[in-house]
Amino acid sequence: MASFQDALQDNRVPGRLGDVRLRYDGGRLVGESLPPPWERRALPGLLIGVGLGCAVGAAVLVGVRDGTTAAFALGLLAAALVGLSLKLESRLGRRRFVLHFRTESLRLEQLAWSPGATRAAVVPFDAVRAVHMVERPGPRYALVVEYAPENAEGPLRRAVLVEAIRASETQTLHRVWRMLSNAFGLRGAGLAGG
């Protein structure tokens, strides 16, 4: 394990791959997805605001004699806008993975925008079965880790480490794939620096 850490310090970690920033930080390799653009972050709030406006309009129209149908339609529109806002907000979550070399564990985190909704899982290096380079439409690529669950029963689980890797980044993708495969002790990856 110490030799892998030495190799990682000698071979500089790329600063970015796909939608993830990478850094080596005192015995840990940290990868964190970039925040979405401000337009995508602002859209759910805008939809909530319009939905609240529709709900107020529906409440006002309920008092009008012939406004029941319009109030019902505005109420449905308000509910649909809030639902769409929640769906868009759920897609804004970010990912983070941390390879702890001292404890030989991989920490997988799904970072959420709402407080307390972050999910985390710790996977021992020995539980990792494969690191896959997956082709996505576009052409884009993703780096996916496959691991056994804690009780080692049931199907293997998958977690996306890096998404939205452009075709121009394939050399860096192969380098990071080899580095991760070597860290987990998987065979067939070659040397991390090669």
Side-chain angles (χ1 to χ4, degrees):
M1 183 177 80
S3 62
F4 180 78
Q5 280 185 300
D6 294 340
L8 189 58
Q9 287 176 341
D10 293 340
N11 297 307
R12 197 165 84 57
V13 174
R16 184 170 171 192
L17 176 64
D19 69 341
V20 170
R21 275 193 209 114
L22 296 167
R23 71 180 189 278
Y24 183 73
D25 181 25
R28 298 179 305 163
L29 176 65
V30 180
E32 187 171 30
S33 63
L34 301 169
W38 71 270
E39 308 90 35
R40 285 187 54 208
R41 288 190 309 246
L43 187 59
L46 178 66
L47 290 175
I48 290 282
V50 173
L52 287 175
C54 288
V56 168
V60 169
L61 286 176
V62 166
V64 177
R65 175 174 243 171
D66 295 327
T68 309
T69 305
F72 181 72
L74 277 176
L76 278 177
L77 180 61
L81 288 172
V82 168
L84 180 61
S85 171
L86 292 174
K87 184 176 181 177
L88 291 174
E89 178 119 6
S90 71
R91 293 182 182 169
L92 291 178
R94 295 171 57 197
R95 298 176 319 282
R96 180 180 3 200
F97 65 91
V98 182
L99 275 76
H100 293 271
F101 296 105
R102 254 181 245 120
T103 61
E104 293 188 1
S105 63
L106 168 66
R107 182 175 170 87
L108 301 166
E109 299 176 355
Q110 290 291 329
L111 307 171
W113 291 103
S114 57
T118 297
R119 293 186 321 244
V122 177
V123 179
F125 282 6
D126 292 339
V128 175
R129 300 293 181 250
V131 179
H132 300 287
M133 293 180 279
V134 179
E135 189 170 357
R136 303 275 200 227
R140 300 254 176 178
Y141 299 91
L143 202 54
V144 178
V145 67
E146 190 173 57
Y147 62 96
E150 286 180 28
N151 57 8
E153 293 180 19
L156 294 177
R157 295 185 181 165
R158 291 178 147 220
V160 175
L161 299 181
V162 184
E163 191 71 75
I165 302 168
R166 297 181 305 272
S168 62
E169 296 178 296
T170 54
Q171 188 175 19
T172 307
L173 168 63
H174 285 282
R175 186 171 151 212
V176 171
W177 172 79
R178 278 193 310 268
M179 184 176 16
L180 291 173
S181 296
N182 287 331
F184 299 133
L186 303 173
R187 294 186 178 177
L191 297 174

